[in-house]
Amino acid sequence: MKASMRFDLVDLRLFVLVVEAASITHGAARAGMALASASERIRLMEDSLGAPLLERNRRGVRATPAGSALVHHAQLVIQQLDRMRAELSEYAEGLRGRVRLLANTTATAEFLPAALGAFLSLHPQIDIDLEERSSREIVRAVAQNLAEVGIVGDEVNPAKELQIFPFAEDRLVLIAPRNHVASHQRTIAFRDALAYDHVGLPAGNALQDQMEDHAARAGGRLKLRVPLPGFDAVCQVVGSGIGVAVLPATAARRYQRSAAIRIIPLVDTWAPRRLTICVRSFTALPPHGQRLVEHLRARA
């Protein structure tokens, strides 16, 4: 095709209607256009392309190979524009919106339930796809535009490639049964906690994977007795005397009375955690994504 070729949406819609009707006259009528105007548009399209688009005969017209290719691409363009208009009109009317949100374990379990509950109550037209991932995976996904919003821990530095906002602060602690030898310590290093049996979360869980990494860096490994699906179950099993576990302090405090556990602060430099909201660009987010980020920032 020539670089000077110029077809606008009116041209594309007209040409599709003409080919479907096999008649310039009938196609022009369907497009609400005078026959002379339609004929002139098609002539200019052929001049611009430098090739005939229609074969004319006594019975009407049919597309040439170039015309057939144009119809195919014109239909794709028209369909995509129609979908865009429909979706944007729904947003404008406040009917629907969806945000893909990726978050690490601590954010998903401890800070997001209340925040998202309040947000969804305020915005009944917006849905959220929430998925738990490791912080490194979240940064990659947001950078590649596979998710609009991410919430990560400070084991990564998303500011290198993303726009960030503070969200929450917490710290990781060790929990132990009340009669456990570790429960008498005021603080503990994670390296020392590797000497004990552990209760943990399933393989692939973002927090569990992080603990496995820290154990390897400390030159050891977790002696995991049992993986459990959530913080509540971990606290209950630790409270029954099975082993120790590393959890966010917010979760440990919530279950401390009911689960017969002791909380021992970790002295490791990575134990205090800042959770950060990350996006590719706040101004480039769709309106429903901006509303979610604003809501999360307001609760920070």
Side-chain angles (χ1 to χ4, degrees), residues 45-66:
M45 291 171 70
E46 291 178 319
D47 288 346
S48 174
L49 178 62
L53 294 170
L54 296 173
E55 292 179 0
R56 296 159 175 85
N57 54 53
R58 278 188 260 176
R59 295 185 178 181
V61 297
R62 68 177 182 176
T64 64

Side-chain angles (χ1 to χ4, degrees), residues 153-226:
D154 51 11
E155 66 268 24
V156 296
N157 181 13
K160 292 179 180 178
E161 47 191 323
L162 302 173
Q163 189 175 359
I164 64 172
F165 308 97
F167 176 55
E169 294 185 4
D170 196 13
R171 67 176 297 120
L172 294 175
V173 298
L174 189 78
I175 62 170
R178 289 178 181 172
N179 60 352
H180 194 278
V181 61
S183 67
H184 304 296
Q185 299 181 231
R186 298 186 65 180
T187 60
I188 190 170
F190 182 65
R191 179 193 297 270
D192 297 332
L194 293 176
Y196 309 128
D197 289 336
H198 278 247
V199 178
L201 297 162
N205 175 277
L207 178 58
Q208 188 65 28
D209 288 349
Q210 186 185 355
M211 292 304 102
E212 298 282 359
D213 288 343
H214 285 308
R217 290 172 188 168
R221 65 180 184 84
L222 288 178
K223 292 184 280 187
L224 188 63
R225 299 252 358 239
V226 59

Side-chain angles (χ1 to χ4, degrees), residues 10-180:
V10 175
D11 291 334
L12 296 179
R13 289 186 185 277
L14 169 65
F15 191 75
V16 169
L17 291 172
V18 166
V19 171
E20 288 177 347
S23 164
I24 297 177
T25 301
H26 294 156
R30 292 181 186 179
M33 191 179 298
L35 175 60
S37 178
S39 297
E40 179 64 8
R41 278 184 173 271
I42 292 174
R43 184 188 68 77
L44 291 174
M45 291 171 70
E46 291 178 319
D47 288 346
S48 174
L49 178 62
L53 294 170
L54 296 173
E55 292 179 0
R56 296 159 175 85
N57 54 53
R58 278 188 260 176
R59 295 185 178 181
V61 297
R62 68 177 182 176
T64 64
S68 295
L70 177 59
V71 167
H72 170 71
H73 291 288
Q75 288 173 329
L76 293 177
V77 170
I78 292 166
Q79 288 169 4
Q80 188 61 37
L81 286 169
D82 288 342
R83 289 193 196 102
M84 181 188 74
R85 289 194 183 99
E87 186 169 338
L88 290 178
S89 68
E90 287 178 341
Y91 291 142
E93 293 165 11
L95 293 179
R96 64 182 288 271
R98 185 172 292 275
V99 186
R100 185 159 191 236
L101 170 63
L102 304 182
N104 68 2
T105 304
T106 302
T108 301
E110 294 302 309
F111 295 100
L112 283 175
L116 294 184
F119 177 80
L120 293 169
S121 294
L122 290 170
H123 302 281
Q125 78 281 13
I126 299 177
D127 299 325
I128 296 174
D129 289 331
L130 173 62
E131 186 176 343
E132 183 181 315
R133 296 278 193 90
S134 72
S135 293
R136 289 181 179 83
E137 290 176 319
I138 293 168
V139 170
R140 286 196 297 269
V142 175
Q144 294 170 10
N145 208 26
L146 301 176
E148 289 97 343
V149 184
I151 299 180
V152 301
D154 51 11
E155 66 268 24
V156 296
N157 181 13
K160 292 179 180 178
E161 47 191 323
L162 302 173
Q163 189 175 359
I164 64 172
F165 308 97
F167 176 55
E169 294 185 4
D170 196 13
R171 67 176 297 120
L172 294 175
V173 298
L174 189 78
I175 62 170
R178 289 178 181 172
N179 60 352
H180 194 278

